[in-house]
Amino acid sequence: DTEVTQTPKHLVMGMTNKKSLKCEQHMGHRAMYWYKQKAKKPPELMFVYSYEKLSINESVPSRFSPECPNSSLLNLHLHALQPEDSALYLCASSPVGSGSNTDTQYFGPGTRLTVL
Amino acid sequence: AQSVSQHNHHVILSEAASLELGCNYSYGGTVNLFWYVQYPGQHLQLLLKYFSGDPLVKGIKGFEAEFIKSKFSFNLRKPSVQWSDTAEYFCAVNARSGYALNFGKGTSLLVTP
C-alpha cells in the first residue's frame, strides 16, 4: 500500500483566514514533503521533514507554516495568504531520510486551494 | 546548476502509435531517476524508477525507460499507446545525497481514438 491521504480535497479561503491542510501516511515512511503545483507546471518543493524534524525550507514565505506532530502526520498551516498562493498543494512521503540511495517519494491527491 | 529538461511539452498521438518522451538532466554526482504520471484530475503516480543496475527499466501499464549515462538521458517509451494514457508526464531527478526531487516541466500527452 502506497497511500498518502490529504484533507480537505478543496479549500476556499479569504486573505484574512487561517486554515490548515492535513496529510497522513501509514506506511512507516520517515520523510514527508510539501509541494506546491500551479496549473500545467511541475511540483515545486516547499518543505521536507525527516524523522519529524524540519530538514528543508525552500525559502517559503512565513504565511505557510509546516508542522509534523508525529511520524504519520504532516500539517500545513495557512495564514494571510495571497491570491497568487492559489494552487494544488501536494504532500508526499518516502521511506527513509537523507543519505539513502534508493528513496522514492509517493504523492497524495493534493488539496486544491483557492485564495479569494 | 542542477536541471531537468523535457523536450516535448505537448504530444498528440493516435491510439496504437508508439511513444517516446525525452528527458535529459544536468547533475553532478550519482542520481536517481523517475517518471511520474498525472492523469486528469488525479494525483501524481509513480510510473517507474531507476536507481542502478539494468539501464532498461519497466514500469506499470506497459511503460519502460532507458537510462543512457553518456547522454544524461532517461527517455520514456511505450510501444502502443491507449486513449487512457492521456495525461501529464513528469521526469524527475534527485541526487542520492539529498531529498529534493526536481521535476522537468512536464509533457502533456493527448491520445486520440
Side-chain angles (χ1 to χ4, degrees):
Chain A
D1 182 13
T2 54
E3 187 177 14
V4 177
T5 59
Q6 290 186 243
T7 54
K9 294 180 77 171
H10 301 274
L11 179 62
V12 180
M13 58 187 291
M15 289 190 284
T16 58
N17 293 157
K18 284 185 180 181
K19 297 286 184 182
S20 296
L21 310 184
K22 179 180 172 181
C23 172
E24 206 160 358
Q25 57 87 15
H26 296 286
M27 298 176 281
H29 289 179
R30 303 315 304 267
M32 296 185 76
Y33 310 74
W34 280 116
Y35 287 83
K36 175 181 177 180
Q37 186 180 23
K38 301 283 261 185
K40 302 294 185 185
K41 299 289 186 185
E44 296 176 353
L45 183 66
M46 299 174 72
F47 302 104
V48 180
Y49 274 82
S50 175
Y51 295 88
E52 300 157 52
K53 289 186 171 24
L54 183 64
S55 298
I56 295 178
N57 177 340
E58 291 285 3
S59 303
V60 179
S62 59
R63 57 185 184 269
F64 295 91
S65 175
E67 179 198 17
C68 189
N70 59 58
S71 60
S72 301
L73 192 56
L74 184 67
N75 298 322
L76 185 64
H77 304 297
L78 314 172
H79 174 55
L81 294 194
Q82 304 296 311
E84 59 264 28
D85 296 321
S86 298
L88 182 68
Y89 287 84
L90 295 167
C91 175
S93 70
S94 65
V96 294
S98 179
S100 166
N101 287 341
T102 58
D103 211 19
T104 301
Q105 293 182 29
Y106 297 93
F107 286 81
T111 294
R112 188 159 299 280
L113 173 68
T114 302
V115 182
L116 302 176
Chain B
Q2 299 171 336
S3 66
V4 182
S5 62
Q6 292 182 238
H7 315 304
N8 318 98
H9 296 298
H10 299 278
V11 173
I12 301 175
L13 293 173
S14 300
E15 276 195 317
S18 64
L19 170 71
E20 180 160 1
L21 301 182
C23 173
N24 285 89
Y25 64 93
S26 172
Y27 261 74
T30 308
V31 297
N32 297 324
L33 300 157
F34 306 84
W35 277 97
Y36 286 87
V37 61
Q38 195 168 29
Y39 297 103
Q42 295 191 29
H43 63 285
L44 277 167
Q45 298 175 39
L46 182 67
L47 265 182
L48 46 78
K49 58 189 177 184
Y50 174 78
F51 295 142
S52 63
D54 188 345
L56 185 63
V57 293
K58 294 193 183 300
I60 61 172
K61 306 188 181 191
F63 286 91
E64 64 179 31
E66 184 175 12
F67 170 54
I68 302 179
K69 188 175 181 179
S70 60
K71 295 186 177 180
F72 298 91
S73 70
F74 189 56
N75 292 354
L76 181 71
R77 300 196 291 249
K78 186 171 184 178
S80 175
V81 294
Q82 302 171 312
W83 175 80
S84 58
D85 293 323
T86 293
E88 192 85 14
Y89 291 81
F90 292 99
C91 178
V93 179
N94 73 351
R96 290 199 181 167
S97 59
Y99 296 103
L101 189 59
N102 289 320
F103 287 86
K105 291 188 185 303
T107 296
S108 178
L109 173 65
L110 173 64
V111 180
T112 59

